[in-house]
Amino acid sequence: MSKPDPVDVLVIGAGASGAVCSLVLAQAGLRVVCLDQGGWTEPAQHPHYSDDFQYQRQNRWNPEPSVRRGPDDYPVEGGQSHALMWNGVGGSTNVFAALWPRFRPSDFRKGREHGLAPDWPITYEDLAPFYDEADRLIGVSGLTGDAGMPPRAPYPLGPLPMRKSGRTIAQGFERLDWHWWPMPAGIISDSYDGRAACNGCGNCGSGCPRGSMAKMSITLWPKALAAGAALRPGARVERIETGSDGRATGAVFIDRATGTRVQQDAAVVVLAANGVGSPRLLLLSESARHPRGLANANDVVGRYLLHHTLVAAEIWVDQPIDSHVGNSGAIISSEFAETDVSRGFVNGFNFNVARTGPAGTAAIGAFSQHPAPWGAAHHAWFARRFGHSFGAFAIGDDLPQASNRITLSGTETDSDGLPAAKLHYVPHENDLRMMRYGIERLRDLAQSVDAFDAAVNDYMEDGVYRTPAWHMLGTCRMGSDPGSSVVNQWHQSWEVPNLYVVDGSSFATGGVVNPTSTVTALALRCARHLAAGFRDAGRTAGTSA
Amino acid sequence: MTHDDDDMLRGLIDTLLPGGHGFPAAGATGMAGQLAARLNAADTALLGRLHTGLRTQGALPGGAEAWHDTVARLEASEPKLFDEVRKHAYLTYYEQPGVIAAIRALGFRYNDAPLPEGYPAEPFDAAADAPRHARGHWIATEQVQPVDTNRLGLEATP
């Protein structure tokens, strides 16, 4: 086994949070090495320039690794939900929508509000400056003045174009007298930081080879490398090693180009491998001293998996609204975001509303799961409906449950023989009530735009909720109590004090929004803290908090 | 692809997508070979299963009406197989040049591929598009208060 020189910080995972940490820590003068099992995705590799781009989205650009089965991937076993994940430089920002809304203050206080979920050990106010800084770093487009959110710093860029679909949707919300606002986006509406403005190509789900979206391999990694961070693609981490004192000493990884094992020692290990990959790696790092896996004496690692609740509708209107162009989210509505127990449940949900997709995607019913009819009726269906639809998601705050969890598969492995992740997720009764309520409000929305048809998707198959909610959160959650959480408010492991878990797994609750803005802000906050107190980093978790 | 496979796929796709409303029949686009390759890439056994399934449901080849009945029976008897084949057929069809021309004839800007052209739009027009309402509310951290959950009958699960 080869053993390169030790470094100050070893970052595992080159996605959004790993990129932020590598950048900030390298800028602080620390020696940083980041490992990722995948490689770089060059702009020409994206499907945007090819006429088979819709077909590619279904296979090699499928966001789900168990469908894609690329050489950089590991399987995620379990049929109850789908995991959006890209293993490579930039991580899942290669396949995300770059919707960039923030958590609300009450999202951090669900313990006080109803006690069915914990309080975070931090507040919205603790995170707000880092949201603002991350927005400037990434280049976020949006409109200030939203009465549904706390006042904030100006967006670096104005909102993306509204287009026909956005105006139609906004009119529907107006008729309902519901809140709506232009969706904040990690997509630049004008040239920014040397990158070209979005030209509305409509293929956000397969990344952005132009760099208009916040694809971290384009937006952040060049800066991190320029600051001195070292990045090793094709480095699949096998386990995090610990010393006799219980502290992390680094990690052993497989160099996938040569098949050789390498031991990279470091003073501090930052785990940033997403809400599935991070608990998987901690569980893979079991030892005599850590028989349940690393940082898991309390058996919390992998538990409390959150996906968000999700129900959706595809809504067809008479007028053409160019359903195939523009970004993935034009409008957000926070009308139902706060708890109102008169609805029969706690927590709330937002609406994300936007375009549906290009012709083939529309015909297969990718959004609504209602494909176009075959035979003589097909073309009349298409001529009536293509370009006339928009999609609406009700995305809600699901309750954390210990039984929803990531474990190690007993049957499947990755290409190096490491156990795959196994995912178990069943919604809470509160989540089901919220989804049923959301479906009725989606029907209200369809009525408000004078839709001639609407197809509601509750994602139920044979009585089982098979969510495509994509997000993977909560599996190494932060907290104030070492008995019921994995990390403290600074993402520092209670059990292994020089180990930090800095990705969506550290969320205590999921909020009602797409999570990457919060993942990025949390990573920035953690990295600044770590850089400022690096000499003290890795002392007792309770005292450094 | 064998001649049998080719005949089968042409009959199938012309049944699924027969043409009309300015759109060509799928067989006329020349997509059968491409579809066969994709089905094979998805699952090497798929073409064989499709062939067997269609033959089980009706004597092939036959006229358009016989094909329709056969495909309908296949859809009812083997829905997963049918869904997979239909998905690939639709996706392949809607990337054919003649089909894209028909989409444009409906009045849409529709590029062969998303980039490089994209679909540029006028910038956000605050005067026309910014919300004028003052709706929306949020609860400040210090104002988050306990809610009464007694009547909800909910319990935190362990």
Side-chain angles (χ1 to χ4, degrees):
Chain A
M1 187 181 319
S2 62
K3 200 170 176 182
D5 290 342
V7 294
D8 294 321
V9 183
L10 172 63
V11 179
I12 301 172
S17 53
V20 168
C21 288
S22 297
L23 171 64
V24 170
L25 296 169
Q27 285 176 333
L30 298 172
R31 291 168 298 160
V32 178
V33 167
C34 179
L35 309 176
D36 199 291
Q37 62 192 308
W40 289 89
T41 304
E42 301 298 335
Q45 291 177 273
H46 287 264
H48 298 60
Y49 299 94
S50 172
D51 59 11
D52 69 348
F53 65 101
Q54 297 171 85
Y55 170 69
Q56 289 198 46
R57 172 70 174 173
Q58 299 296 318
N59 45 72
R60 65 187 289 256
W61 277 92
N62 194 300
E64 194 171 347
S66 295
V67 177
R68 193 173 61 233
R69 291 192 175 271
D72 297 340
D73 294 319
Y74 57 89
V76 179
E77 182 187 329
Q80 290 147 322
S81 56
H82 307 268
L84 183 152
M85 185 192 303
W86 189 269
N87 296 301
V89 180
S92 301
T93 63
N94 281 289
V95 286
F96 78 149
L99 305 183
W100 213 259
R102 297 180 176 185
F103 270 42
R104 318 166 68 75
S106 62
D107 290 331
F108 298 86
R109 285 292 172 268
K110 293 299 176 183
R112 173 163 175 73
E113 185 183 273
H114 55 64
L116 297 167
D119 281 342
W120 289 56
I122 61 173
T123 64
Y124 175 86
E125 290 73 22
D126 291 326
L127 198 55
F130 299 96
Y131 273 130
D132 291 341
E133 185 180 351
D135 284 0
R136 292 189 292 273
L137 190 61
I138 299 298
V140 175
S141 301
L143 183 68
T144 52
D146 183 357
M149 289 293 291
R152 49 154 296 151
Y155 286 92
L157 295 144
L160 290 160
M162 198 68 144
R163 299 180 184 267
K164 293 179 188 173
S165 55
R167 294 186 186 105
T168 300
I169 298 160
Q171 190 176 43
F173 282 116
E174 283 294 330
R175 286 182 179 175
L176 290 163
D177 204 25
W178 288 356
H179 170 270
W180 67 273
W181 204 256
M183 173 69 85
I187 304 172
I188 51 179
S189 59
D190 203 347
S191 56
Y192 188 83
D193 200 20
R195 295 185 282 130
C198 172
N199 69 357
C201 81
N203 201 38
C204 302
S206 301
C208 182
R210 288 164 54 87
S212 305
M213 291 176 73
K215 174 178 146 83
M216 301 307 177
S217 55
I218 293 178
T219 53
L220 291 190
W221 268 110
K223 294 179 181 179
L225 296 176
L231 173 60
R232 286 200 66 158
R236 175 169 276 156
V237 176
E238 191 172 50
R239 59 184 291 112
I240 297 168
E241 296 286 11
T242 51
S244 57
D245 58 357
R247 294 163 57 84
T249 56
V252 172
F253 68 88
I254 300 166
D255 181 334
R256 294 180 54 226
T258 64
T260 57
R261 282 176 168 73
V262 181
Q263 181 173 330
Q264 177 64 63
D265 288 346
V268 167
V269 175
V270 172
L271 183 53
N274 81 43
V276 173
S278 287
R280 174 182 179 241
L281 188 51
L282 291 175
L283 296 173
L284 283 171
S285 303
E286 66 174 356
S287 64
R289 189 184 178 105
H290 304 280
R292 286 175 155 167
L294 200 57
N296 195 32
N298 58 8
D299 194 25
V300 174
V301 168
R303 295 187 182 274
Y304 303 105
L305 171 67
L306 301 165
H307 276 316
H308 289 129
T309 62
L310 193 79
V311 289
E314 185 166 5
I315 295 169
W316 289 274
V317 295
D318 287 325
Q319 67 274 28
I321 55 173
D322 293 342
S323 314
H324 58 298
V325 307
N327 68 308
S328 302
I331 300 281
I332 186 169
S333 169
S334 303
E335 182 69 24
F336 303 99
E338 298 285 355
T339 290
D340 178 349
V341 292
S342 71
R343 299 176 189 141
F345 53 86
V346 296
N347 292 347
F349 60 91
N350 270 350
F351 288 118
N352 291 356
V353 198
R355 63 164 170 77
T356 45
T361 305
I364 67 172
F367 196 94
S368 62
Q369 309 298 313
H370 289 73
W374 57 271
H378 180 88
H379 299 293
W381 183 100
F382 186 87
R384 175 82 168 106
R385 293 172 184 251
F386 175 70
H388 291 252
S389 75
F390 66 87
F393 288 112
I395 173 172
D397 186 7
D398 49 344
L399 288 179
Q401 303 177 79
S403 54
N404 287 340
R405 63 188 300 200
I406 301 296
T407 55
L408 297 179
S409 170
T411 55
E412 291 195 66
T413 65
D414 65 20
S415 58
D416 287 303
L418 301 175
K422 184 175 180 179
L423 188 155
H424 174 81
Y425 182 85
V426 176
H428 191 280
E429 167 61 21
N430 187 75
D431 306 335
L432 294 169
R433 292 182 193 178
M434 182 157 54
M435 288 190 279
R436 287 193 286 267
Y437 185 88
I439 285 172
E440 293 310 310
R441 302 294 76 76
L442 288 168
R443 292 197 168 109
D444 291 340
L445 180 60
Q447 198 168 22
S448 75
V449 295
D450 300 322
F452 70 81
D453 197 7
V456 171
N457 192 347
D458 63 5
Y459 300 105
M460 289 286 182
E461 291 178 28
D462 303 324
V464 177
Y465 177 59
R466 300 186 193 281
T467 172
W470 305 123
H471 307 139
M472 306 164 298
L473 311 168
T475 49
C476 299
R477 65 182 185 178
M478 65 164 61
S480 303
D481 171 20
S484 60
S485 57
V486 177
V487 297
N488 68 14
Q489 65 159 319
W490 297 109
H491 301 258
Q492 183 182 21
S493 163
W494 293 109
E495 188 179 327
V496 185
N498 64 335
L499 170 67
Y500 293 73
V501 185
V502 189
D503 54 39
S505 66
S506 65
F507 284 31
T509 60
V512 295
V513 291
N514 304 65
T516 310
S517 66
T518 302
V519 168
T520 306
L522 285 168
L524 194 54
R525 177 177 175 272
C526 172
R528 292 260 181 259
H529 174 78
L530 189 50
F534 184 75
R535 276 181 297 182
D536 294 328
R539 301 200 185 282
T540 306
T543 58
S544 71
Chain B
M1 186 166 65
T2 66
H3 281 302
D4 274 358
D5 287 340
D6 190 49
D7 289 345
M8 173 197 68
L9 275 183
R10 283 174 184 276
L12 174 65
I13 61 180
D14 277 344
T15 306
L16 295 174
L17 298 156
H21 289 264
F23 284 79
T29 68
M31 61 174 264
Q34 188 179 16
L35 175 60
R38 288 179 175 182
L39 293 175
N40 203 41
D43 180 349
T44 52
L46 204 54
L47 269 175
R49 287 173 53 211
L50 177 61
H51 212 148
T52 302
L54 286 168
R55 287 209 173 279
T56 302
Q57 298 304 331
L60 300 176
E65 195 172 326
W67 262 105
H68 181 278
D69 293 346
T70 299
V71 173
R73 284 194 292 270
L74 179 72
E75 181 181 24
S77 63
E78 297 194 57
K80 287 190 175 175
L81 170 66
F82 179 82
D83 285 351
E84 181 73 4
V85 172
R86 176 176 56 183
K87 179 183 79 173
H88 283 286
Y90 283 5
L91 288 172
T92 307
Y93 179 74
Y94 280 104
E95 65 186 61
Q96 304 305 313
V99 178
I100 291 173
I103 296 170
R104 291 174 183 149
L106 292 174
F108 294 104
R109 284 174 65 197
Y110 197 87
N111 298 331
D112 294 344
L115 292 176
E117 288 86 359
Y119 301 96
E122 291 296 313
F124 184 86
D125 180 352
D129 293 331
R132 290 186 175 80
H133 65 76
R135 293 187 291 272
H137 79 288
W138 54 279
I139 301 171
T141 299
E142 66 278 7
Q143 292 175 341
V144 174
Q145 297 296 325
V147 297
D148 181 6
T149 59
N150 287 329
R151 61 192 170 125
L152 297 180
L154 295 169
E155 292 180 1
T157 57

